[in-house]
Amino acid sequence: WTRMDGPDDAIRTDAAQARLEDVPLGVKGPPGRHIDQGALALDANGGLLVGTFGAGLWRAAAPPLSIRSWSEQSAEGHRLRTEDVYAVHPDGAGGAWVGTFGGSVQHVLADGRVRPLPLPKDAPQDLIDGVIDLDRTADGTLWAATSGGVYRFNPDTGAFRLYRHPNTATAYSVALLHDRDGRLWVGTGGGGLMLYRPASDDFRQFLPTQDPRSLPGDFVTVLKQDRRGRLWVGTRSNGVGICTLRDARLDCDRVAGAHRDHGHRAHPH
């Protein structure tokens, strides 16, 4: 599935048939309601969960294709705190954890009920309500990238920890990835790439330098890992880095974006 830069549709890719299918999702309304700034995820039954910017959460069950939505206007007990959904992470039981900007994290259960994340009373909600990405480990611990840092929370034990870097620019966390070796990477908005170190319970920071094989930019928007174990680091305005952790050094091949005026293709340096 691919989210589109448009108000009410997504693209389903059929690799076997080499075919693309435009799937209307019924997200109607003012121009601010788009799915391009939301999130896409498949639930345990193969249905598509769609987080939108301004229209809440949508689920397209397939087959057959039937649409259900959650918003601020939904019935009591099925209501989102805000309709700006930035992150969706299936819970493995037919529901999903939903991260919203301004509404923190809520749990949409398989039966459609919505429950708030039971964070401790002393959690700094004003810092962590802006949730941009979510990830979950095998033991059920939920990690959230927020506008005020990164936090981890175990709903079963209630254990909570917020990680904030002294540099305020680094506190804005955008992307999370647990790689195949179990390492947690955090892409930040202005603070480069962070690697969690369990032994010391802190993060190591990687920043772009004069070295052409360093991180391409300090504003990291997306993180993916390929079949070869390489980390693909997408940045806001400095292209993509295809990176490998070598001992304590991050070694990156830089891929520049296409130049719109001259039509130059992206190429590795």
Side-chain angles (χ1 to χ4, degrees), residues 179-263:
D179 67 20
R180 63 183 61 180
D181 294 318
R183 297 173 299 209
L184 174 67
W185 299 88
V186 180
T188 72
L193 185 63
M194 311 290 284
L195 174 61
Y196 178 61
R197 299 183 290 194
S200 52
D201 193 24
D202 62 6
F203 284 86
R204 179 180 178 183
Q205 185 179 29
F206 296 93
L207 287 166
T209 68
Q210 296 299 318
D211 184 346
R213 298 194 65 80
S214 67
L215 195 70
D218 64 2
F219 199 114
V220 177
T221 57
V222 64
L223 296 170
K224 297 293 181 182
Q225 189 175 32
D226 64 21
R227 294 178 182 178
R228 295 166 56 183
R230 300 176 303 176
L231 189 66
W232 288 64
V233 183
T235 68
R236 183 172 63 176
S237 55
N238 298 99
V240 176
I242 306 174
C243 305
T244 303
L245 187 64
R246 304 188 189 280
D247 296 323
R249 185 173 65 91
L250 195 66
D251 182 59
C252 302
D253 287 312
R254 298 186 180 185
V255 182
H259 194 288
R260 293 186 180 182
D261 295 331
H262 303 289

Side-chain angles (χ1 to χ4, degrees), residues 76-206:
E76 186 69 29
H78 296 72
R79 187 175 300 160
L80 296 182
R81 289 180 59 192
T82 177
E83 297 179 356
D84 296 340
V85 178
Y86 275 66
V88 179
H89 193 83
D91 63 5
W97 298 98
V98 179
T100 64
F101 204 90
S104 193
V105 178
Q106 292 178 273
H107 192 187
V108 177
L109 305 178
D111 62 7
R113 291 176 298 155
V114 177
R115 296 289 181 265
L117 188 67
L119 293 174
K121 292 182 179 180
D122 58 351
Q125 291 285 359
D126 57 326
L127 294 177
I128 61 176
D129 267 1
V131 177
I132 304 167
D133 201 5
L134 293 171
D135 204 354
R136 191 164 174 250
T137 59
D139 67 353
T141 298
L142 193 70
W143 288 83
T146 79
S147 56
V150 178
Y151 73 78
R152 66 177 181 180
F153 176 68
N154 189 312
D156 296 327
T157 66
F160 173 85
R161 171 74 191 274
L162 173 65
Y163 301 85
R164 284 178 57 82
H165 194 278
N167 181 348
T168 55
T170 312
Y172 197 95
S173 303
V174 182
L176 296 173
L177 174 71
H178 276 94
D179 67 20
R180 63 183 61 180
D181 294 318
R183 297 173 299 209
L184 174 67
W185 299 88
V186 180
T188 72
L193 185 63
M194 311 290 284
L195 174 61
Y196 178 61
R197 299 183 290 194
S200 52
D201 193 24
D202 62 6
F203 284 86
R204 179 180 178 183
Q205 185 179 29
F206 296 93

